Amino acid sequence: DGFAAQLGEPGLGLAPRTWTHLARAADLVLHDGAMVNLVFGYRAHRLVNVRGTAELIRLAMTDRPAPVHYISTLAAFQPEARRQRAAGGGRLAEACDPALAATPSTGYARSKWVAERHLAQARHRGATITVLRLGEVLPGEHSPRPNPVALTHLLLSASYRLGCSPDAVICSDYTPADYVAARVAAAVLDREAWGRALHLFHPASVRFDDVL
């Protein structure tokens, strides 16, 4: 059965009877809902991305504990990755503790970082929390359907129409949507992956000037 919910509302906006049913019946929670806006600040993202995540954790822990798989973003750890690279520490470890990581400056990234701190606390209390941190997800290889309001799509399409591109190195960790979906499904099915943090992104940066 499907139930409409609201991530920004207490109890996910569900009727108490529906909440109880889901808490008892759910075998696993896969949380990939979020508000994404690269202009709005943290306050605008907090209700959906932070409180919504906290409510889903509460739902998973209300009755028999259900494992939680959370779709996060590498942007939540970008400042920490830069800090480690500057210090000669190499790549950011998947097991990086969000409580010890540098705070992101943008609203969306900060909201995901705070949500990860809630998830880490739930893990310390015994919850089975799996975090999948994605890079930039763009149209799939087999059925490409672009998101016309995505920043990368807007930039590439504008450059194509104008016949010119920015005189700067702009890179993306582009990952096709169908590849991401397959790996998320694999993480859900693979119990050995449960309880870990996993990074899922293109192993080499894609340069926009090369694409154009």
Side-chain angles (χ1 to χ4, degrees), residues 65-77:
V68 176
H69 281 58
Y70 177 71
I71 305 300
S72 189
T73 173
L74 289 168
F77 287 82

Side-chain angles (χ1 to χ4, degrees), residues 73-143:
T73 173
L74 289 168
F77 287 82
Q78 192 172 48
E80 181 61 25
R82 287 174 176 165
R83 185 172 73 175
Q84 289 194 18
R85 186 167 61 245
R91 287 191 173 186
L92 181 76
E94 291 177 316
C96 178
D97 185 350
L100 302 178
T103 306
S105 59
T106 61
Y108 168 67
R110 181 175 294 190
S111 70
K112 299 293 277 188
W113 171 74
V114 174
E116 281 215 36
R117 295 185 66 168
H118 282 287
L119 290 158
Q121 292 172 2
R123 185 185 286 125
H124 292 323
R125 296 195 299 267
T128 301
I129 306 291
T130 307
V131 175
L132 296 111
R133 300 187 186 117
L134 310 184
E136 185 170 17
V137 182
L138 291 177
E141 294 178 292
H142 303 297
S143 57

Side-chain angles (χ1 to χ4, degrees), residues 157-165:
S157 60
S159 296
Y160 178 77
R161 290 196 305 270
L162 294 170
C164 61
S165 60

